[in-house]
Amino acid sequence: MTQPGAISHYFAGANTPRGFYSRYEQIAPPDAAKVIILKGGPGTGKSTFMRRIAEELLARGHDVEYFHCSADNEGIDAIYIPAADAAVMDGTAPHVMDPQFPGAVEEIINLGQFWNEAALRSPAVKAEIIRLTRGYKFWFQRARDARRAALAWLEEWAAYHRECLDMGRVYAASEAIIAQVLQGTASDGGRSAASGAAEPGDPAPRGAEARAGRARRLFASAITHGGAKSWLGPIFDHLQRRIVLQGPPGTGKKTIVERLADTALARGFDLDVFYCTMYPERAEHVRLRGLGTGVITSFWPHEYAPQPGDQVIDTGEFVDRARLADYAEAIAGAEAAFRAAVEREMHHLGQAKAWHDELERCYIPHMDFAAMERVQKETLERILALIAERGA
């Protein structure tokens, strides 16, 4: 009996205070064997198309990476199949994807070819599609407004701690973590510290030409219509060593993560770096696969429960408590306002989701799903052929 493949879960995009932030270029390598970009409106079956291919591949023993929708975690925005070096992804707004190397790497499948355009253009259906699209976009914009408000309150909350923060202790903590994680590993790329064989993409062994490490940059969490969603558990629970950073905003957690990531890359380690959805260009977590090690930021609403043996560092200890006491009332107000704004964002995303569900129902009756299923099966066969060619 075939052992089912392993599943990994990530987000490749995030709804941030500046709008949608895409890291979809990180799903597959630039020179991947195949990237299939799905086009088509809501309700055309893009998520189902990918999910069914993934389920069939998993049943045949192949690993699959799922990339979830950052606003609706029930939806799939992309899958990547390492054995085929192939991806299938939703290329519609807000994560618009167009081919960089048409034919050589990417191709487009337009699921809109399977809808009955005449039916969709009928006056009643057309008017309903326009109404629901406007309603969905209205509520999504309100969610974005709430996220911007949350950022403002988070910045104020953090400012009080930064005012009282001993940066020397932050830098000392980061240096201690770097020494602890990377000490004695540079000569062999960290393989001696990991159990089992090294993974593809790990740094080269002794004697190979030195190179800088590579980082795959994604998101591990999102605020969705159903609340805060995090894949921190599946990403980090299996690692041999975890360092968990806890503490209020503005106490140096991201500084520690970024200093570790920069040093590890300079020493030739390949990393998975996960970014903050409030500050999408700032690292929040890092996984060093070859070392079986992760450094995780645990902060509401994406908290990580430490396991026995985990090293927990409270960055709040780097703050002058006596000075901070002067700001206690202001801190409490900013924290409460931040939490309320995030909750409001979740509510607005729920409203957007309800309108989007209605919009999808406008398309579903007018889709030829039997024809789409044939293309889905053909796509699966092509991916299986790539796996066979690669000998995976």
Side-chain angles (χ1 to χ4, degrees):
M1 183 176 178
T2 302
Q3 182 74 21
I7 304 174
S8 301
H9 299 278
Y10 308 104
F11 294 100
N15 297 306
T16 78
R18 301 203 311 254
F20 184 78
Y21 195 101
S22 174
R23 292 193 180 274
Y24 276 65
E25 78 285 352
Q26 300 286 310
I27 293 173
D31 59 348
K34 176 61 67 177
V35 174
I36 296 171
I37 301 171
L38 304 180
K39 300 287 188 177
T44 54
K46 298 183 295 296
S47 185
T48 300
F49 188 103
M50 290 182 279
R51 194 184 299 276
R52 287 180 178 172
I53 289 174
E55 289 171 351
E56 183 63 32
L57 290 167
L58 288 165
R60 295 177 186 233
H62 302 296
D63 297 348
V64 177
E65 296 179 350
Y66 281 89
F67 294 85
H68 296 263
C69 175
S70 57
D72 175 9
N73 192 57
E74 298 163 10
I76 301 296
D77 277 349
I79 58 172
Y80 176 69
I81 306 93
D85 190 23
V88 185
M89 60 181 69
D90 180 348
T92 58
H95 34 76
V96 177
M97 293 289 295
D98 289 310
Q100 296 184 57
F101 310 108
V105 175
E106 303 99 343
E107 67 174 88
I108 292 175
I109 296 178
N110 179 19
L111 300 186
Q113 67 183 298
F114 303 121
W115 62 35
N116 182 339
E117 185 173 347
L120 294 176
R121 289 176 60 84
S122 66
V125 176
K126 178 180 178 180
E128 188 68 353
I129 287 173
I130 292 172
R131 183 183 74 86
L132 292 170
T133 299
R134 287 174 175 167
Y136 160 70
K137 290 182 176 179
F138 173 84
W139 282 108
F140 204 85
Q141 184 58 53
R142 302 291 75 73
R144 188 165 293 164
D145 291 344
R147 172 144 285 244
R148 283 198 290 264
L151 175 62
W153 289 113
L154 182 62
E155 278 288 299
E156 179 177 337
W157 185 8
Y160 300 117
H161 292 91
R162 292 194 193 102
E163 179 67 17
C164 307
L165 182 64
D166 184 343
M167 282 303 299
R169 296 187 65 184
V170 173
Y171 291 141
S174 65
E175 290 302 315
I177 291 172
I178 289 168
Q180 176 185 345
V181 172
L182 302 181
Q183 185 175 19
T185 60
S187 63
D188 65 356
R191 289 187 173 89
S192 61
S195 62
E199 299 187 27
D202 282 349
R206 183 194 299 271
E209 183 180 351
R211 65 163 177 84
R214 291 186 291 260
R216 193 184 193 194
R217 306 177 188 276
L218 297 165
F219 296 95
S221 57
I223 300 297
T224 77
H225 72 90
K229 180 62 183 179
S230 163
W231 296 113
L232 291 174
I235 291 170
F236 290 101
D237 280 353
H238 68 284
L239 298 181
Q240 294 170 294
R241 177 193 292 171
R242 285 171 297 275
I243 300 172
V244 182
L245 306 178
Q246 299 176 340
T251 55
K253 298 184 295 296
K254 290 182 178 64
T255 297
I256 292 171
V257 173
E258 289 178 341
R259 284 169 65 88
L260 171 62
D262 290 345
T263 303
L265 287 169
R267 295 189 187 181
F269 291 91
D270 292 345
L271 316 175
D272 295 316
V273 185
F274 301 94
Y275 286 77
C276 176
T277 60
M278 280 291 183
Y279 306 94
E281 295 179 354
R282 297 208 63 187
E284 195 168 35
H285 325 281
V286 62
R287 177 172 65 179
L288 297 92
R289 292 194 185 194
L291 297 178
T293 297
V295 177
I296 309 156
T297 297
S298 178
F299 180 72
W300 187 89
H302 305 295
E303 296 169 299
Y304 182 85
Q307 301 183 39
D310 287 356
Q311 179 181 352
V312 179
I313 298 174
D314 180 4
T315 57
E317 296 298 321
F318 305 151
V319 170
D320 184 331
R321 296 289 183 180
R323 289 180 60 198
L324 194 67
D326 293 338
Y327 304 113
E329 183 177 349
I331 288 171
E335 177 181 0
F338 166 71
R339 291 176 182 269
V342 173
E343 295 286 354
R344 192 163 183 80
E345 178 188 8
M346 295 175 190
H347 171 269
H348 293 340
L349 286 172
Q351 296 296 311
K353 165 71 168 154
W355 282 76
H356 194 269
D357 286 349
E358 287 294 318
L359 180 60
E360 287 187 337
R361 283 192 274 273
C362 289
Y363 286 85
I364 290 172
H366 308 297
M367 284 290 298
D368 185 348
F369 287 107
M372 190 188 75
E373 186 175 350
R374 288 194 293 271
V375 174
Q376 170 207 305
K377 289 179 178 178
E378 291 170 2
T379 304
L380 171 63
E381 291 303 319
R382 293 167 63 197
I383 292 172
L384 290 170
L386 283 171
I387 294 173
E389 288 174 13
R390 294 169 59 85

